[in-house]
Amino acid sequence: MDFRNVYILIRKEARDSVKNWWFVLYTICFSALALLLLFLASSRSEIAGFSGFGRTAASLINLVLLFIPLIALVTGAISISNERENGTLSYLLSHPITKSEIFTGKFIGLLLSIWFSISLGFGLAGIAISIRGGGGDISKFLMTAVLSAILAASLLSVGFLISVFSKKAAKATGIAVFLWLVFIVIGDLGIMGSTVAMDLGIKQVFILALFNPTEVFKIASVLTLSPRFEVLGPVGIYAFKTFGREGLFYLLLSVMALWILIPLGYAFLSFSVLRREEL
Amino acid sequence: MHYILALIVVAGVVASTTKSVAETYTVSPTGSINSISKAIGLSKDGDTVEVEKGAYKGRIVVDKSIKLIGIDKPSIDGQGKGTVVLIKAPKCTFKGFLVIGSGESLTIEDAGIVLDSAPDSIIEDNKLEDVLFGIYLKNSRRSLIKNNVIIGKDLPLPQRGDGIRLWYSPETHILYNHTTQTRDLVMWWSGNTLIKGNKIEKGRYGLHYMYSNDNVFEDNLFIDNFVGGFLMYSSGIRFYHNIFARNQGLATGYGVGFKDLDDVVAEENLFIDNRIGLYLDNSPHLIDSWNKIEKNVIAFNDIGASFMPSIERNIIVSNSFIDNAEQIEVRGGGTLSGNKWFKENEGNFWSDYKGYDENNDGIGEIPYLAESLFESLVDRYPNLRIFIFSPVSQAIELASHAFPIFKPEPKVTDEYPMINSYIPEKFKGFKKKFSMGFLIISTLMVFIPLVLYFYLVKKTKGKVSD
Amino acid sequence: MIDIREATKNFGDFKAVDKVSFSVKAGEAFAILGPNGAGKSTLIRCILGTLDFEGEIRLNNLDIKENRKEAKALIGYVPQEPQFYDMTTIEVLNFFGSIRRVNKERIERVLHLVGLKEHVFKSTSALSGGMRQRLSFGIALLSDSPVLILDEPTSNLDAYARADLLRLIKKFKTEGKTVLFSSHRLDEVEFLADRALVMKSGKIILESTPHKLGEVLGLKSKLHIKLPQSSIKTALDVLNENGFNNISLNGNKLSIELSHKERILALRKLLLAEIPVEDFNVEEPSMESIMEEVQQNGL
């Protein structure tokens, strides 16, 4: 793999995303919402010098959970399918550049773009917090941003997997939006339904929740932001007691890493190593 | 016979005269009296023993009603065995010492200072370190424990002793002490006490009443304990202006827990950042008893107030429930309609109230209903709490609004919700900390991407010279 | 320069390219002729290495399956309908220039060659079809690679742009580049190619020089002449005398079947005999009819 080619593709993707109206709109929305939210919440974020895992943190997690998976999935899903559909991929491939270079460059370029917008949103919110005199522990805030970045990477790689197997960008987008719904609502709803109907035990609920990268992100950020884990109920306590604080954190990080590596690896293999009939 | 009688009387007079002359003995490491026990042996009731600065090894037993005064914090070292200071006589004073190194036996209750049948004693200005129990009062009523600092042994919780323990010692006053790393501040069968201005941290139960009635505690700070205050099997407890913060024990973590508690008055306390702000179990338990919980601030807890099923006869009014992840929990589901959530046209402040105040009287025009479908599901199936803060919880709320058939019965109906929160004066005026580091890092988070971005983009744009 | 041995490409049961073998020598211009769907584009994509295939293709003795990237570096490719990213002309050139590792001077030189200097800051979507094709040609020239592969380069162009581009290709051919192109137009092939092959349904059905190809395939040209009713008989006589025998009559219109080169001759004879030709046109043979002809009669 020639990293000069990868770098060229990274630059192209980064550049394209600023020209992408949807991407810019998304970044503005995310930043504005984060700002608004923290301004509203920080007005009573402290009493007598104490603040807690209040609505601010919860809303921030919620915002991340709604926005980042959507943009990451859709961006990923469009990435290759779109170029395949309008022929630019085939044209690009007639040049001395390999599919692995294209795949890698595109992934890194898009990931950087999403990371930039996450950093922008978090940064603006952080400025708002510190001006209002709230904040407190910067390391927790940074950790949440890092977790969001990891979440973005995992869903972007799921998006790439969709993209590799789609000939049409519209279809890929449709699948991405459906998966987004599955990740943030339908999947959890299914676990909740089964818990009520089949009386699932603590362990089963925990294992099922681990299959959802957004849920894993949420548990990890609660673990980061809150000194106590009981906010997640008996399942949280079980996880905490079984693995310990650090153990659990690393477990969650590894699940998220798997959510990056497996879809991405599979997408990479099918796109650039196992040759497929057509592009 | 008269002679004999007279002699006895004279002897008695002489004896009591010599007794009434209070003497002061001075102990110093280099002086003629170089041990505290020796000085106690020499002294009689009413005498004073002054102890100069120095390290005194060995346990001491005070069996006379004397004053032991430390000058410049002399230390008494139990050398890791038994109880360091044992006071067995009434009306003793023990002041100004550093007490260290008790034994570690929970069964024989090794302590820093034990008052055994020593009523009307004063324990003041001492520092206790590396002790299993701190100050232990047995049958020692009307004592005063003031301005002591107690640091427990760094042991796992099951092996720790209590910071301050009262056993059948009513009317005791515990004022302005600081305990850390101990088990409980606990009173057994000790009524009419006053606990004021203490800081109790890193213990199990910050305050623990067992069968102790008519007690008052106020202006205390209970922080980083498993439970701020666990009040059990008592009646007539009144508490004001306390802060219960960050009490976050696994499975407990109550700011204050009530267990079989009657005729409680809780006013203007702050319950903040606990797992559960206020926990009520079978309280009140007498059929004619009412608990009053008024003007408290319950903020930033995972659960504001948690109730065991069928709790009744609590008056919960003028409190401010602020941004608790779940405001009210009813374990196992159900409603709390047997309690009073408002009186005389005033209810509580609820930060999640979505109503309005048309006539500007500070009271919302529509009732506050705690009727979250997600919360009621969680109350019934606690395992589902793992999904808190996930979008699915909001989706379920939305669904229950769209299809009212799914709406649960409200846990709480507050007919007169307050529009503004009430924060007692005591808890106001804390200045927020401005963090420069936070500002700098946030600013970097905005600008680094922008700079990188322009760097990446600029190079792709070519310029063609003519 | 290009050696193809039994290249085969199946899409499911459909054989798009079926055991195709041929060679192109360095400096040669080689045409692949055939109707739509004959497999020309598929074959070209195989040579470019953007499609997997069975068999062997070598470029300058490099097996393209093993040395895909090195082989691709030898090729400048002009697709049938170039698809560019949403960038300006110069950005597109810079992008592909960076992949080809060429410097700014080369990019400027190419801009000059393809005549797009005034359009550098135009978005590619605002370029006309001819300009787009020239841009894609420019990209193909960026690294001065020895092989030019063009997939029906003129199919979407108007007459003027087409002539323009053909001249440009011819120029590079004479400068020594190996040119491989596909087309479905005989005249282009005659104009550019040293050698040509005809494909149908994935198979090579004829390999020859364009000259011979013209002879074989030219039979099918038709000259339609409109005459006054009174002159028809005279005209028929004149044509018969000169050996034009495949004549059909339809009202006052004569249709003469003749070879590609005899078109003008027939017309000239009529004019010399002072027959008042009112109107005429030449019907070029369709690719499909050529195929039929070749298959029925062989060479």
Side-chain angles (χ1 to χ4, degrees):
Chain A
M1 200 181 291
D2 186 338
F3 287 97
R4 274 179 297 176
N5 283 349
V6 174
Y7 180 58
I8 291 163
L9 260 290
I10 291 174
R11 267 167 33 190
K12 177 195 160 289
E13 290 301 327
R15 193 190 149 285
D16 282 358
S17 51
V18 226
K19 291 181 89 181
N20 184 336
W21 199 76
W22 280 108
F23 195 83
V24 173
L25 185 73
Y26 152 80
T27 305
I28 293 170
C29 279
F30 180 68
S31 308
L33 271 173
L35 258 177
L36 183 74
L37 191 138
L38 291 163
F39 258 111
L40 287 178
S42 64
S43 59
R44 51 166 181 240
S45 65
E46 280 192 352
I47 298 170
F50 293 99
S51 60
F53 188 78
R55 220 154 274 254
T56 317
S59 316
L60 193 67
I61 291 179
N62 243 290
L63 192 69
V64 169
L65 278 176
L66 284 176
F67 264 76
I68 290 177
L70 183 63
I71 193 72
L73 276 169
V74 172
T75 308
I78 292 174
S79 62
I80 291 170
S81 59
N82 193 39
E83 286 217 24
R84 180 182 287 137
E85 183 179 353
N86 59 31
T88 49
L89 179 62
S90 159
Y91 184 49
L92 178 59
L93 275 169
S94 76
H95 292 272
I97 186 166
T98 63
K99 279 169 130 187
S100 346
E101 287 159 4
I102 294 174
F103 188 95
T104 314
K106 272 187 159 299
F107 185 78
I108 297 175
L110 290 173
L111 187 60
L112 280 181
S113 305
I114 295 176
W115 281 359
F116 287 175
S117 77
I118 292 174
S119 180
L120 213 65
F122 268 85
L124 285 173
I127 292 174
I129 296 177
S130 48
I131 287 173
R132 294 291 295 252
D137 199 345
I138 182 80
S139 63
K140 289 181 179 177
F141 184 74
L142 276 178
M143 196 61 210
T144 314
V146 168
L147 286 171
S148 310
I150 297 175
L151 175 72
S154 68
L155 289 161
L156 186 67
S157 68
V158 175
F160 263 72
L161 187 60
I162 301 171
S163 205
V164 163
F165 290 103
S166 303
K167 282 181 193 161
K168 301 270 183 215
K171 193 180 154 202
T173 311
I175 296 172
V177 170
F178 175 72
L179 268 186
W180 173 72
L181 274 176
V182 168
F183 280 139
I184 69 161
V185 178
I186 299 173
D188 287 354
L189 214 53
I191 305 177
M192 291 182 75
S194 327
T195 308
V196 171
M198 291 147 62
D199 209 15
L200 291 182
I202 289 176
K203 210 169 173 176
Q204 284 107 308
V205 174
F206 180 64
I207 290 169
L208 285 175
L210 283 186
F211 278 97
N212 184 343
T214 63
E215 203 56 57
V216 171
F217 160 80
K218 191 207 69 189
I219 298 172
S221 19
V222 170
L223 189 64
T224 307
L225 290 169
S226 166
R228 57 192 183 276
F229 209 49
E230 302 87 324
V231 69
L232 297 174
V235 179
I237 295 171
Y238 160 79
F240 192 87
K241 280 196 161 171
T242 312
F243 302 102
R245 188 184 194 79
E246 288 205 348
L248 181 58
F249 195 68
Y250 289 127
L251 172 73
L252 296 171
L253 279 185
S254 348
V255 172
M256 288 180 81
L258 286 181
W259 267 104
I260 299 173
L261 293 177
I262 294 175
L264 193 66
Y266 189 41
F268 181 79
L269 281 179
S270 3
F271 181 69
S272 33
V273 180
L274 313 167
R275 290 183 198 146
R276 278 157 52 77
E277 280 293 328
E278 73 274 276
L279 288 164
Chain B
M1 273 309 275
H2 283 258
Y3 276 110
I4 294 162
L5 197 64
L7 265 173
I8 290 170
V9 168
V10 169
V13 168
V14 170
S16 61
T17 313
T18 45
K19 211 179 183 179
S20 67
V21 179
E23 289 185 49
T24 298
Y25 301 88
T26 302
V27 182
S28 88
T30 52
S32 55
I33 306 172
N34 60 3
S35 103
I36 301 170
S37 297
K38 198 169 168 187
I40 295 169
L42 291 170
S43 68
K44 58 188 183 298
D45 286 355
D47 286 350
T48 300
V49 172
E50 285 184 357
V51 181
E52 290 188 352
K53 192 172 171 63
Y56 300 90
K57 307 273 185 205
R59 297 179 279 164
I60 62 169
V61 177
V62 181
D63 48 6
K64 294 167 186 160
S65 301
I66 55 171
K67 284 183 183 151
L68 269 168
I69 311 290
I71 295 163
D72 293 333
K73 278 266 149 60
S75 68
I76 304 174
D77 187 351
Q79 293 173 303
K81 276 198 185 127
T83 289
V84 186
V85 177
L86 171 60
I87 299 172
K88 299 206 299 193
K91 293 182 184 165
C92 283
T93 298
F94 184 81
K95 183 175 174 180
F97 287 91
L98 173 64
V99 177
I100 53 177
S102 78
E104 288 189 7
S105 167
L106 265 178
T107 42
I108 56 168
E109 296 175 333
D110 292 335
I113 302 169
V114 171
L115 269 64
D116 193 349
S117 309
D120 303 304
S121 292
I122 297 170
I123 309 291
E124 196 177 357
D125 294 335
N126 301 292
K127 185 170 184 187
L128 291 78
E129 255 179 286
D130 190 31
V131 291
L132 190 68
F133 284 73
I135 300 172
Y136 193 162
L137 275 64
K138 303 174 186 172
N139 304 308
S140 301
R141 58 169 58 218
R142 285 186 306 278
S143 292
L144 171 66
I145 299 168
K146 191 178 168 189
N147 268 333
N148 300 286
V149 175
I150 302 167
I151 302 167
K153 284 182 185 285
D154 189 10
L155 291 171
L157 201 76
Q159 295 165 31
R160 287 194 204 161
D162 299 318
I164 299 174
R165 182 181 179 93
L166 269 58
W167 183 266
Y168 288 104
S169 300
E171 297 166 72
T172 294
H173 287 197
I174 299 174
L175 311 177
Y176 309 109
N177 300 285
H178 179 186
T179 78
T180 183
Q181 208 173 287
T182 64
R183 190 169 64 185
D184 306 340
L185 191 173
V186 57
M187 13 204 76
W188 289 82
W189 290 289
S190 302
N192 294 303
T193 64
L194 172 67
I195 298 177
K196 183 170 177 171
N198 301 282
K199 181 178 182 186
I200 313 289
E201 61 175 339
K202 298 185 186 116
R204 184 182 64 163
Y205 300 160
L207 179 59
H208 190 25
Y209 287 129
M210 296 294 279
Y211 311 103
S212 297
N213 302 333
D214 304 314
N215 288 303
V216 174
F217 66 103
E218 56 188 3
D219 297 320
N220 301 287
L221 171 62
F222 301 95
I223 187 166
D224 293 326
N225 302 289
F226 276 54
V227 172
F230 218 152
L231 320 180
M232 297 182 179
Y233 312 110
S234 305
S235 70
I237 307 276
R238 284 154 289 149
F239 60 104
Y240 317 97
H241 303 119
N242 299 284
I243 296 178
F244 304 90
R246 295 202 305 253
N247 299 293
Q248 299 166 348
L250 274 170
T252 54
Y254 313 133
V256 166
F258 289 5
K259 168 83 181 140
D260 288 21
L261 218 56
D262 292 303
D263 298 319
V264 174
V265 177
E267 273 179 17
E268 303 207 337
N269 299 285
L270 175 62
F271 304 82
I272 194 161
D273 199 16
N274 304 287
R275 188 174 87 86
I276 294 174
L278 191 59
Y279 168 70
L280 273 70
D281 180 4
N282 199 27
S283 299
H285 93 298
L286 296 175
I287 194 79
D288 59 344
S289 164
W290 284 81
N291 290 333
K292 272 204 274 184
I293 298 164
E294 292 186 13
K295 294 185 180 167
N296 300 284
V297 178
I298 301 168
F300 310 143
N301 304 288
D302 296 349
I303 296 171
S306 171
F307 294 77
M308 290 303 276
S310 56
I311 295 277
E312 289 179 326
R313 298 188 306 284
N314 290 287
I315 302 167
I316 301 165
V317 179
S318 308
N319 301 289
S320 297
F321 290 86
I322 301 172
D323 288 354
N324 301 292
E326 182 175 349
Q327 301 274 40
I328 298 288
E329 178 193 46
V330 185
R331 296 198 180 182
T335 78
L336 296 169
S337 50
N339 301 279
K340 276 195 175 175
W341 294 92
F342 53 89
K343 68 176 184 186
E344 292 154 18
N345 299 347
E346 181 161 302
N348 298 276
F349 171 79
W350 307 91
S351 60
D352 55 337
Y353 177 58
K354 291 185 185 71
Y356 53 90
D357 180 15
E358 202 176 70
N359 54 7
N360 278 321
D361 61 351
I363 299 298
E365 309 306 336
I366 53 173
Y368 168 82
L369 303 174
E371 52 175 358
S372 150
L373 176 58
F374 180 73
E375 281 181 11
S376 66
L377 272 172
V378 163
D379 289 355
R380 252 179 295 168
Y381 304 94
N383 285 354
L384 296 183
R385 192 177 288 281
I386 188 91
F387 295 109
I388 196 168
F389 308 136
S390 290
V392 71
S393 58
Q394 279 110 312
I396 284 178
E397 281 332 308
L398 270 178
S400 82
H401 284 289
F403 308 101
I405 189 164
F406 292 126
K407 260 194 188 172
E409 206 183 339
K411 290 186 266 194
V412 168
T413 305
D414 185 343
E415 296 283 350
Y416 303 99
M418 290 155 59
I419 290 296
N420 298 308
S421 58
Y422 168 75
I423 313 278
E425 277 309 313
K426 196 191 165 203
F427 305 133
K428 286 183 179 168
F430 284 84
K431 278 223 165 150
K432 287 179 176 175
K433 281 165 281 171
F434 174 75
S435 160
M436 197 63 201
F438 207 111
L439 183 62
I440 290 171
I441 291 179
S442 307
T443 316
L444 285 179
M445 284 173 81
V446 173
F447 283 102
I448 289 177
L450 290 179
V451 169
L452 271 176
Y453 213 92
F454 282 116
Y455 173 74
L456 279 181
V457 171
K458 210 184 79 191
K459 286 191 110 182
T460 342
K461 279 188 183 159
K463 285 273 147 44
V464 173
S465 53
D466 295 312
Chain C
M1 187 56 101
I2 306 170
D3 295 288
I4 298 172
R5 295 279 163 271
E6 305 224 315
T8 300
K9 177 72 198 170
N10 299 323
F11 293 116
D13 289 338
F14 174 66
K15 289 201 162 167
V17 176
D18 191 5
K19 292 191 176 164
V20 168
S21 302
F22 65 90
S23 289
V24 183
K25 289 194 277 291
E28 198 177 24
F30 194 92
I32 303 171
L33 202 59
N36 291 329
K40 299 181 305 245
S41 293
T42 308
L43 178 61
I44 283 179
R45 286 171 66 195
C46 289
I47 300 171
L48 289 171
T50 62
L51 262 189
D52 196 18
F53 61 94
E54 290 157 41
E56 187 188 55
I57 298 179
R58 285 179 171 276
L59 251 104
N60 207 10
N61 255 331
L62 288 171
D63 189 322
I64 66 153
K65 282 185 184 172
E66 279 154 27
N67 304 292
R68 206 173 278 251
K69 211 161 154 187
E70 293 81 352
K72 279 196 270 188
L74 297 172
I75 301 174
Y77 166 60
V78 179
Q80 188 169 354
E81 270 184 80
Q83 297 298 335
F84 301 114
Y85 295 117
D86 186 16
M87 300 174 174
T88 61
T89 304
I90 184 66
E91 283 170 343
V92 169
L93 278 167
N94 279 339
F95 174 70
F96 288 107
S98 56
I99 290 177
R100 296 273 181 175
R101 316 268 191 268
V102 301
N103 56 25
K104 294 268 181 246
E105 287 70 39
R106 177 68 193 167
I107 289 170
E108 277 192 52
R109 167 116 190 84
V110 163
L111 268 173
H112 183 73
L113 274 173
V114 296
L116 284 171
K117 269 215 128 166
E118 304 97 86
H119 307 290
V120 281
F121 296 122
K122 251 190 202 169
S123 166
T124 51
S125 51
L127 295 177
S128 71
M131 287 196 279
R132 288 167 71 83
Q133 204 63 294
R134 272 194 280 163
L135 175 56
S136 127
F137 197 69
I139 293 167
L141 293 173
L142 272 172
S143 60
D144 206 14
S145 38
V147 179
L148 276 180
I149 295 182
L150 305 96
D151 189 3
E152 308 222 12
T154 60
S155 62
N156 292 309
L157 301 184
D158 59 37
Y160 176 77
R162 183 167 154 253
D164 199 36
L165 189 68
L166 286 173
R167 270 201 302 276
L168 210 52
I169 300 170
K170 183 104 178 178
K171 178 169 172 266
F172 283 97
K173 194 235 153 188
T174 51
E175 281 174 11
K177 288 208 189 295
T178 310
V179 179
L180 175 74
F181 70 103
S182 71
S183 177
H184 61 271
R185 299 183 65 136
L186 197 54
D187 51 350
E188 280 179 16
V189 175
E190 281 187 297
F191 179 73
L192 278 177
D194 300 321
R195 282 199 298 145
L197 59 78
V198 180
M199 279 183 80
K200 197 194 173 194
S201 307
K203 286 194 173 74
I204 298 181
I205 52 173
L206 180 66
E207 187 177 342
S208 177
T209 61
H211 178 69
K212 266 193 178 170
L213 217 57
E215 269 179 20
V216 177
L217 308 179
L219 283 172
K220 282 287 197 170
S221 286
K222 265 187 184 174
L223 178 65
H224 302 282
I225 303 168
K226 194 177 170 196
L227 299 166
Q229 198 70 40
S230 53
S231 309
I232 286 178
K233 194 174 168 351
T234 339
L236 279 173
D237 291 344
V238 170
L239 288 170
N240 279 329
E241 269 170 39
N242 285 287
F244 297 105
N245 295 321
N246 284 326
I247 302 169
S248 55
L249 185 60
N250 179 15
N252 60 344
K253 275 186 201 159
L254 286 177
S255 296
I256 311 143
E257 232 176 64
L258 33 56
S259 79
H260 193 66
K261 285 178 177 163
E262 288 168 332
R263 293 172 301 186
I264 308 298
L265 187 66
L267 208 55
R268 192 185 293 151
K269 294 285 176 197
L270 287 175
L271 292 173
L272 280 174
E274 293 187 343
I275 292 164
V277 175
E278 284 179 349
D279 194 9
F280 78 96
N281 72 313
V282 180
E283 189 191 327
E284 294 287 353
S286 75
M287 214 60 216
E288 284 70 22
S289 61
I290 295 174
M291 294 304 130
E292 260 167 53
E293 178 69 26
V294 172
Q295 274 190 320
Q296 278 163 21
N297 306 326
L299 257 177

